[in-house]
């Protein structure tokens, strides 16, 4: 007895999600066979779809197999039953999951900086810690909570939307298109760790609430938190995000352009194409694909390359960088790009950053 | 030999569509058993979905069983092999198909004015007449033609849109939503007989072309004609329209509010609910349902009750009657309601009618 293992924020997130069924059918950190099956085939050894190995990387094997998991304050938050330990082949992991071994890729950087030894085995989380952890987000954060909310609303079909950014009109447009054919929306921003420069979760949550309150039908939306961390694994993470949303009760999942991408490691539609490796029935959720979305002055509406025939000089498209620069200068993006209620929240955030001397 | 039967315009349309496979699996006018199965169960005797009996009503049985079918000029256009003749129970037909026996219903009015004796049996159409008949519309009009066009475009998924009206922005919006998830659009206006007061097919075709040319992506649309006549049978006709579009090569079919309705004989969503009587696989086509569409000034976009939370004073909705009145006065409806390119064609049509003293 007495073996302890300190979990960092990412590992705490994995513990929470594993213990709550968000990563079902997984209930613990994966062993070598499972990891190899996922890396080679994008499936678990029994053939079920799974795209990102969930591994617990440590520097060394704990002194005992029953390990108490602790957080940075030293408090016990759960238990791990170490069934095996193995050296993870990080090059192989990176090549399969991130499609690159470039250390500038944030997922690769995480992998290389983590421990060498993978500890595998089932986990349990301390219920009080689970409650405290979920409370941080002040939103439904576990599959049990979203299932209850979905049941209370009587939705039979639910589309999930993953985001780590504020929602502008382009994404509002495609969410609303999806809402024409399903009963409800699970807007489930990722609130775990993202990369520096991303808008903090609490500011984004204010933006989401402003958007839902002003532009969506009450009773058709559910705002929840996904306390996962971003892997930036593009196509593999799109499958992962879809499977996780299935576990949270979604029947449909929106996959836009460059889902979970970073830099130019993935083609803009790689994260859609990968779905053809799986049947919808085995995923248990139906992907809903969208192309690039922009405002077209000639169409006088939001549009995509599938529906708008007009040349690009009619199109209003702003990059994330352009929007950050406008907001940093105290300018609001045009209402065709961003709802004023959302733009104002972001403007206040960037003004505060500016005062603190911190806009990139 | 020598038995002839004059077909009116509606019967010619049925002959064309039966002979071209547009009513597959039907290849002739239905006998009493088939009609009863359709009326009672919305299915053929073998269980396949079919919702509107295709009957040839005559005043008396022709002198021979091999009948030459002729048009109003007396020219032979095809042949009927009379296998049976029976008195059609028109009350039963009307109750099942039109859900009313009210003579003010245009479908009931047609039925009561038609002959009493139904002639059943396989038909053949004269190929030269078929070619001449199709040419009238100057558009693909048979399943063979649309299948060829769809194959040439390489579409795997095709959404069909049925209309007997000019297309304004509300319908453009829902067609474009459908186009986000399928490869192409078969815009297939019904060009057979409609009721008095409907905009004539040639004017509507000009409107469709103006809309497609100016607001749709070339290569994603196919304009074709459906030379069927309107039954105004609401829900039953929605199923019928879907089955016919399956035969023309569609994989999806848009069913909006009050599809194929007239007056207030049907609830606004009856034509969607009836699809739950059939599985998509047995229909061979997937319905795509839409709610009421309007422009919302607060959303600054087209919207539906599923996506817009704002009160109706923000909504721009005009009835067909209001639009006809505006156009009759020489006013164009606002661009949020109708594309100017379309409105101008309609304005010229109503101005010409006005000169002729004919606006209702």
């Amino acid at each position: 007895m007495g073996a302890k293992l300190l979990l960092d924020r990412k590992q705490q997130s994995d513990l929470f999600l594993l213990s709550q069924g968000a990563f079902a059918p997984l209930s613990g950190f994966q062993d070598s066979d499972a990891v190899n099956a996922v890396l080679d085939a994008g499936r678990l050894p029994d053939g079920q779809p799974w795209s990102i190995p969930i591994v617990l990387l440590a520097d060394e094997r704990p002194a005992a197999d029953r390990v108490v998991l602790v957080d940075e304050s030293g408090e016990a938050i759960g238990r791990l039953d170490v069934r095996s330990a193995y050296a993870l082949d990080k090059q192989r992991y990176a090549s399969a999951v991130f499609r690159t071994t470039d250390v500038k890729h944030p997922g690769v950087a995480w992998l290389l900086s983590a421990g060498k030894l993978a500890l595998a085995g089932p986990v349990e989380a301390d219920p009080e810690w689970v409650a405290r952890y979920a409370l941080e987000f002040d939103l439904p954060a576990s599959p049990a909570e979203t299932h209850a909310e979905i049941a209370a609303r009587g939705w039979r079909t639910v589309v999930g939307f993953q985001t780590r950014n504020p929602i502008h009109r382009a994404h509002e447009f495609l969410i609303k298109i999806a809402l024409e054919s399903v009963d409800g929306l699970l807007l489930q921003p990722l609130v775990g760790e993202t990369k520096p420069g991303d808008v903090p979760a609490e500011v984004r949550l204010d933006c989401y609430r402003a958007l839902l309150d002003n532009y969506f039908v009450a009773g058709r939306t559910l705002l929840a938190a996904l306390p996962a961390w971003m892997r930036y694994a593009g196509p593999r993470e799109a499958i992962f995000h879809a499977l996780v949303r299935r576990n949270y009760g979604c029947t449909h999942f929106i996959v836009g352009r460059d889902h979970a991408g970073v830099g130019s490691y993935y083609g803009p539609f790689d994260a859609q194409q990968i779905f053809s490796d799986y049947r919808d029935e085995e995923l248990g959720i139906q992907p809903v694909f969208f192309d690039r979305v922009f405002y077209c002055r000639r169409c006088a509406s939001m549009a995509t390359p599938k529906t708008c025939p007009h040349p690009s000089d009619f199109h209003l498209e702003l990059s994330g960088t352009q929007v950050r620069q406008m907001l940093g200068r105290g300018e609001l993006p045009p209402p065709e790009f961003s709802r004023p209620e959302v733009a104002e929240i972001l403007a206040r955030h960037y003004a505060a950053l500016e005062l603190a001397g911190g806009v990139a």
Side-chain angles (χ1 to χ4, degrees), chain A:
Chain A
M1 297 298 280
K4 282 189 183 175
L5 185 69
L6 170 64
L7 296 193
D8 65 20
R9 292 291 296 172
K10 288 187 173 71
Q11 292 166 336
Q12 292 172 34
S13 152
D14 287 343
L15 172 65
F16 176 84
L17 293 165
L18 280 169
S19 69
Q20 299 308 299
F23 290 167
L26 273 54
S27 55
F29 291 100
Q30 294 183 284
D31 64 20
S32 177
D33 285 353
V35 168
N36 287 335
V38 172
L39 295 180
D40 291 349
R43 292 174 183 272
L44 299 174
D46 70 0
Q48 291 187 71
W50 196 264
S51 56
I52 295 188
I54 304 298
V55 292
L56 179 59
L57 293 173
D59 292 321
E60 53 188 22
R61 185 160 183 158
D65 286 347
R66 292 286 294 170
V67 178
V68 175
L69 305 171
V70 300
D71 67 9
E72 47 289 317
S73 70
E75 200 158 354
I77 62 175
R79 279 154 305 283
L80 165 69
D81 187 5
V82 182
R83 300 270 170 90
S84 64
Y86 55 99
L88 183 71
D89 183 341
K90 293 188 178 180
Q91 295 297 310
R92 185 176 169 192
Y93 187 114
S95 299
V97 172
F98 303 118
R99 297 190 180 182
T100 177
T101 55
D102 183 353
V103 297
K104 291 197 290 291
H105 184 291
V108 177
W110 154 76
L111 187 62
L112 296 181
S113 71
K116 283 175 188 135
L117 196 70
L119 307 179
V123 293
E124 274 173 38
D126 186 281
E128 282 171 35
W129 172 75
V130 164
R132 207 163 61 238
Y133 189 83
L135 223 69
E136 257 185 55
F137 310 108
D138 195 22
L139 282 175
S142 69
E145 289 171 279
T146 55
H147 278 281
E149 294 283 349
I150 288 167
R153 286 163 169 79
W155 295 344
R156 285 170 309 169
T157 51
V158 185
V159 65
F161 186 70
Q162 149 69 26
T163 179
R164 62 178 198 266
N165 292 310
I167 296 181
H168 300 294
R169 287 200 56 188
H171 288 115
E172 176 190 330
F173 173 72
L174 51 84
I175 290 170
K176 285 185 166 176
I177 287 182
L179 271 176
E180 290 298 338
S181 53
V182 300
D183 297 332
L185 162 71
L186 179 67
L187 177 57
Q188 195 181 22
L190 185 141
V191 295
E193 290 195 351
T194 57
K195 62 185 168 53
D198 282 359
V199 178
E202 61 274 17
V203 177
R204 286 190 285 126
L205 288 175
D206 286 347
C207 292
Y208 303 141
R209 289 196 177 96
L211 184 71
L212 294 180
D213 290 351
N214 286 291
Y215 295 98
F216 280 80
V217 175
R220 282 200 181 260
T221 64
L222 169 57
L223 181 60
L226 180 70
W229 51 283
M230 274 306 292
R231 273 81 175 171
Y232 301 96
R236 287 258 185 171
E237 197 160 11
I239 296 293
F240 175 70
H241 281 161
L243 293 170
V244 170
R245 267 37 179 244
R246 172 201 66 196
N247 293 336
Y248 275 91
C250 296
T251 55
H252 295 71
F253 183 65
I254 293 174
V255 182
R257 237 174 134 265
D258 199 26
H259 186 102
V262 64
S264 51
Y265 294 100
Y266 314 110
F269 297 104
D270 287 357
Q272 299 184 355
Q273 278 151 11
I274 194 175
F275 280 83
S276 64
D277 294 348
Y278 305 90
R279 285 175 295 112
D280 292 352
E281 309 84 70
E282 53 180 12
L283 292 174
I285 190 164
Q286 191 180 318
V288 182
F289 300 131
F290 284 104
D291 207 328
R292 195 164 51 91
V293 181
F294 46 80
Y295 182 83
C296 172
R297 276 181 281 266
R298 181 87 173 82
C299 289
S301 69
M302 304 306 294
T304 78
K306 290 187 175 172
T307 56
C308 168
H310 308 121
S312 61
D313 34 311
F314 288 108
H315 299 170
L316 171 67
E317 270 184 295
L318 299 171
S319 69
T321 308
Q322 286 174 309
V323 175
R324 277 190 297 276
Q325 287 171 345
M326 292 180 77
L327 289 164
R329 290 193 301 264
E331 281 172 43
L332 294 190
E336 291 83 5
F337 181 84
S338 197
R339 297 294 185 186
E341 293 86 347
V342 173
E344 280 157 18
I345 292 166
L346 290 173
R348 281 198 298 275
H349 165 66
Y350 282 98
L353 268 190
E354 190 73 25
L355 280 176
V359 169

